């Protein structure tokens, strides 16, 4: 029998035995963690919430690692190649402030109420209507986003081995499925901590070697200026080399509109909508061992998060200068040879790895990418199985069964989510820059949810009817704006609204937020609110201050206290915005 080996021309990355050994060792460790975690899963709380037993440093690293998935790495490097430095706004404006707000203000409500999920919090505050809308929309969103992670994970396997993409998707899905089904959230979190260090160790050499190859930072800026000169299809070099006003990212020609779009659309609506209400992230904090640890989880995560641009965005910028295929693609040419056929911005990191990393380091980089993709997909799947089991199945379908039944339901939901993600991965393949697709989804699902949350948490007069009406209307308005924009939803968009880039996603999110808030206020004024005594622990004004903090935290040194840590992180991110 003859063995068919992929030709060199069939693969992007030319790995050797050393690289495969590094990748194989990594997978062995991942599956081993899943097996060991299984021995600690005795009930559904262990499976879905890790028994609420983990220290803040573990959940903090897992918090940032869960977000440091395929989209974060491939998507940000793609945006770095396409837009340049304005992409840092996804971190310094579009993440850190919201993460700090989550830790300081919102985690006490989530953790103190002992809810098992964000939709369950919605149920207690607004009742069945808003809960059902939120649970269903969240479940759908996780399946779509898991598909993004799986598509990019399959692309790596395809680029490495030359396998057909569908085969790569199935193999990649099976690996993630194995350790989540075995060990639940605890397996996911411990693997996410490992994956964080593997990702940093794999991407940092790519940045350093890449900068050396282009002649340092000055060589990189010279290359970007040279490529942009005389090319009307490329943003001016100064816009690519300065984070503000960020016109290439926002899609607005006006500097003023660009700043408003980034600050309000990305920095407020999309960012706060994602970080403060997305159960994928909140679930990590809810697995911690105390209310103090829960509050510090996103704040601890903010410190490594603010430096992630230097190992994701900068390599994308380097690829646009150093990699011939990427430079020609950015200049408007159609170039064959990408992971999905023609070269796209999503291929920036793969092509840079091919060109600058020696064998050994190449294997480490491949392991790092695989780690990132598995972390992202595992986070989506573990959040999905919790919401499906607790918020939908137990509450509306099969009630009052023993705990073992819902534990089995969660494991079945894990398998189902992984299978469905194989099919939703096909949607992601239609976008040359995956961040456009992702931000559009966030506008649909997260922006209206944040509006409902923030009004309901700080205005006790908001009613249950207003909760579900605002959510539905906000989501539909975001979908409408996306389809009317030029390219927010690929070929399905009509182009009626002349906004391109990711400005279309910012506009859709802002529209959803405004529509939700306005309707929530109007409907609340003509419907009956809950009695004040039913809002304790759910609304800020009705909740005793002492129940929102850990009394022992006052005795900790400043570096272990929530507020001082948040202030240090905020000062650091302001300095980074000023420098770049």
């Amino acid at each position: 029998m003859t063995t068919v080996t992929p030709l060199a021309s069939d693969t992007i990355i030319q790995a050797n035995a050393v690289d495969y050994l590094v990748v194989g060792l990594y997978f062995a460790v991942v599956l081993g963690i899943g097996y060991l975690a299984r021995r600690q899963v005795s009930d559904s709380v262990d499976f879905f919430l890790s028994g609420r037993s983990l220290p803040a440093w573990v959940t903090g690293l897992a918090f940032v690692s869960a977000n440091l998935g395929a989209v974060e790495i491939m998507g940000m490097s793609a945006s770095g190649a396409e837009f340049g430095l304005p992409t840092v706004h996804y971190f310094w404006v579009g993440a850190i402030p919201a993460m700090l707000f989550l830790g300081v203000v919102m985690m006490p409500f989530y953790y103190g109420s002992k809810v098992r999920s964000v939709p369950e919090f919605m149920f207690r505050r607004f009742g069945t209507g808003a809960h059902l809308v939120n649970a269903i929309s969240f479940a759908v969103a996780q399946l779509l986003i898991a598909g993004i992670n799986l598509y990019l994970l399959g692309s790596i396997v395809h680029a490495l081995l030359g396998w057909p993409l569908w085969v790569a998707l199935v193999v990649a899905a099976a690996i993630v499925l194995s350790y989540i089904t075995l060990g639940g959230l605890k397996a996911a979190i411990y693997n996410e901590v490992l994956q964080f260090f593997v990702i940093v160790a794999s991407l940092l050499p790519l940045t350093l070697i890449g900068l050396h190859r282009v002649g340092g930072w000055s060589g990189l800026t010279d290359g970007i200026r040279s490529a942009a000169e005389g090319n009307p299809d490329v943003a001016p070099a100064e816009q690519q080399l300065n984070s503000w006003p960020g016109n290439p990212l926002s899609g607005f020609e006006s500097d003023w509109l660009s700043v408003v779009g980034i600050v309000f659309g990305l920095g407020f609506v999309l960012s706060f909508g994602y970080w403060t209400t997305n159960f994928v992230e909140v679930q990590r904090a809810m697995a911690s061992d105390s209310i103090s640890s829960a509050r510090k989880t996103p704040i601890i995560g903010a410190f490594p998060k603010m430096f992630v641009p230097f190992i994701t965005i900068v390599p994308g910028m380097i690829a646009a200068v150093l990699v011939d295929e990427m430079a020609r693609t950015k200049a408007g040419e159609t170039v064959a040879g990408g992971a999905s056929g023609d070269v796209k911005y999503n291929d920036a990191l793969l092509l840079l790895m091919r060109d600058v990393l020696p064998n050994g380091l190449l294997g480490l980089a491949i392991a790092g990418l695989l780690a990132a993709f598995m972390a992202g997909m595992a986070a989506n799947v573990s959040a999905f199985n919790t919401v499906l089991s607790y918020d939908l199945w137990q509450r509306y379908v099969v009630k009052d069964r023993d705990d073992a039944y819902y534990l089995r339901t969660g494991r079945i939901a894990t398998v189902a989510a992984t299978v469905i993600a194989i099919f939703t991965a096909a949607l992601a393949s239609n976008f040359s820059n995956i961040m456009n697709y992702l931000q559009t989804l966030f506008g649909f699902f997260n922006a209206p949810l944040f509006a409902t949350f923030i009004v309901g948490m700080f205005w006790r007069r908001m009613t249950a009817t207003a909760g579900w009406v605002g959510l539905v209307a906000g989501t539909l308005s975001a979908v409408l704006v996306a389809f009317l924009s030029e390219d927010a939803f690929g070929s399905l968009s009509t182009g009626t609204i002349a906004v391109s880039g990711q400005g279309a996603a910012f506009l859709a999110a802002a529209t959803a937020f405004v529509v939700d808030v306005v309707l929530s206020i109007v409907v609340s004024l003509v419907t009956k609110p809950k009695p004040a005594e039913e809002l304790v622990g759910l609304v800020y004004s009705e909740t005793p201050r002492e129940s929102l903090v850990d009394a022992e935290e006052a005795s900790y040194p400043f570096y272990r206290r929530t507020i001082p840590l948040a202030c240090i992180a905020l000062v650091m991110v302001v300095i980074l915005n000023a420098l770049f």
Side-chain angles (χ1 to χ4, degrees):
M1 182 176 179
T2 304
T3 301
V4 179
T5 303
L7 297 174
S9 59
D10 293 332
T11 61
I12 293 178
I13 301 171
Q14 304 303 311
N16 66 12
V18 174
D19 301 313
Y20 288 118
L21 177 62
V22 172
V23 173
L25 287 173
Y26 171 73
F27 278 122
V29 172
V30 165
L31 294 175
I33 289 174
Y35 177 76
L36 292 174
R38 183 186 184 185
R39 299 161 66 179
Q40 302 178 39
V41 176
S42 59
D43 58 24
S44 64
V45 174
D46 286 336
F47 186 78
F48 294 121
L49 290 177
S50 195
R52 294 183 184 268
S53 61
L54 300 177
W57 73 268
V58 170
T59 54
L61 288 178
F63 187 94
V64 70
S65 184
N67 182 252
L68 197 59
V71 174
E72 184 86 348
I73 292 181
M74 298 290 277
M76 289 303 172
S77 63
S79 292
E82 185 174 3
F83 306 126
L85 272 179
T87 311
V88 300
H89 291 313
Y90 282 115
F91 298 85
W92 301 340
V93 174
I96 304 301
M99 292 168 69
L100 301 180
F101 182 82
L102 171 64
V104 173
V105 177
M106 297 188 71
M107 274 315 303
F109 288 92
Y110 288 138
Y111 195 89
S113 63
K114 299 299 180 184
V115 295
R116 297 168 297 184
S117 69
V118 170
E120 186 175 348
F121 186 91
M122 290 289 284
F123 178 80
R124 295 191 185 180
R125 176 63 180 90
F126 296 112
T128 300
H131 172 261
L132 196 56
V133 172
N134 179 211
I136 292 174
S137 65
F138 177 83
V140 171
Q142 295 321 298
L143 293 176
L144 292 171
I145 298 170
I148 297 174
N149 282 287
L150 184 57
Y151 163 69
L152 293 176
L153 178 53
S155 297
I156 289 290
V157 177
H158 170 71
L160 177 62
L161 300 175
W163 293 355
L165 187 57
W166 72 268
V167 175
L169 290 176
V170 172
V171 172
I175 294 168
V176 176
L177 175 64
S178 59
Y179 75 78
I180 295 296
T181 305
L182 284 171
L185 181 63
K186 185 168 289 187
I189 286 179
Y190 280 125
N191 265 313
E192 284 160 3
V193 173
L194 168 67
Q195 286 158 348
F196 173 80
F197 292 107
V198 172
I199 290 165
V200 173
S202 64
L203 294 184
L204 185 58
L206 191 62
T207 301
L208 298 176
I209 297 173
L211 278 175
H212 176 72
R213 289 279 186 92
V214 296
W217 186 257
S218 61
L220 176 61
T221 57
D222 289 344
I224 290 174
R225 288 191 178 96
S226 176
E229 187 175 353
N231 189 341
D233 296 325
V234 177
E238 292 310 309
Q239 290 185 2
Q240 295 185 57
L241 294 172
N242 293 281
S243 62
W244 295 101
N247 306 75
L249 182 69
S250 68
F252 293 109
E253 293 184 6
S254 164
D255 291 352
W256 184 84
L257 285 178
S258 180
V259 171
V260 170
I262 290 171
V263 172
F264 182 68
L266 173 62
F268 181 63
V269 178
L270 279 172
S271 171
F272 278 69
Y274 176 82
W275 291 102
T276 66
T277 65
N278 187 1
F279 184 53
V280 171
E281 302 298 334
V282 174
Q283 188 181 29
R284 271 75 196 145
M286 290 172 69
S288 56
D289 56 13
S290 68
I291 194 170
S292 178
S293 294
R295 295 181 75 197
K296 290 198 291 281
T297 291
I299 296 170
I300 290 172
F303 287 94
K305 179 74 174 178
M306 68 180 71
F307 295 105
V308 170
F310 298 107
I311 59 173
T312 55
I313 295 169
V314 172
M317 297 170 65
I318 294 169
V321 171
L322 189 62
V323 177
D324 178 66
E325 296 99 319
M326 190 54 54
R328 288 161 54 199
T329 297
K330 190 169 182 177
E333 294 183 37
T334 299
V335 182
S340 57
D342 294 332
V343 172
K344 299 178 180 180
Y345 288 112
N346 294 326
D347 299 314
L349 210 62
L350 294 178
L351 294 171
L352 186 64
M353 286 166 51
R354 178 202 67 186
D355 285 359
V356 306
L357 292 183
N359 293 109
L361 272 181
L362 181 60
L364 182 62
I366 294 168
L369 286 180
L370 294 173
F373 302 161
M374 290 192 296
M377 184 179 172
N380 299 132
V381 170
S382 60
F384 171 85
N385 65 30
T386 303
V387 169
L388 183 74
S389 302
Y390 281 154
D391 292 284
L392 294 174
W393 196 261
Q394 184 180 31
R395 189 171 295 279
Y396 299 109
V397 183
V398 179
K399 302 179 181 180
D400 303 323
R401 295 289 295 272
D402 61 12
D403 187 76
Y405 173 83
Y406 297 109
L407 178 57
R408 287 195 302 273
T409 301
R411 287 194 161 119
I412 293 170
T414 302
V415 176
T418 307
V419 172
I420 294 170
I422 294 173
F423 295 96
T424 61
L427 295 174
S429 65
N430 294 321
F431 291 81
S432 63
N433 186 337
I434 212 71
M435 286 305 297
N436 292 344
Y437 179 41
L438 184 72
Q439 294 304 321
T440 300
L441 293 179
F442 287 161
F444 291 173
F445 301 115
N446 292 80
L449 179 59
F450 172 61
T452 299
F453 253 91
I454 206 69
V455 176
M457 185 172 286
F458 291 99
W459 188 38
R460 65 182 182 183
R461 181 69 179 76
M462 187 173 175
T463 66
T465 303
W468 72 263
V469 169
L471 278 176
V472 172
T475 299
L476 293 177
S477 66
V479 172
L480 178 62
V481 170
F483 281 115
L484 292 178
S485 300
E486 288 185 354
D487 59 0
F489 218 57
S491 60
L492 297 177
S493 297
T494 66
T496 305
I497 301 176
V499 179
S500 59
Q502 290 166 24
F506 301 164
L507 181 61
T511 302
F513 181 85
V514 172
V515 167
D516 192 314
V517 169
V518 170
L519 277 179
S520 295
I521 293 173
V522 171
V523 174
S524 292
L525 294 176
V526 297
T527 51
K528 185 178 179 180
K530 282 185 173 183
E533 59 269 17
E534 295 182 18
L535 300 177
V536 176
L538 303 173
V539 176
Y540 196 81
S541 61
E542 304 303 316
T543 304
R545 299 287 82 78
E546 57 270 18
S547 68
L548 300 177
V549 296
D550 185 342
E552 295 183 4
E553 189 174 293
S555 63
Y556 296 166
F558 79 94
Y559 58 85
R560 291 185 57 198
R561 298 201 301 270
T562 302
I563 303 300
L565 272 178
C567 291
I568 293 170
L570 186 60
V571 169
M572 289 175 64
V573 83
V574 168
I575 292 172
L576 285 171
N577 267 288
L579 289 176
F580 292 90

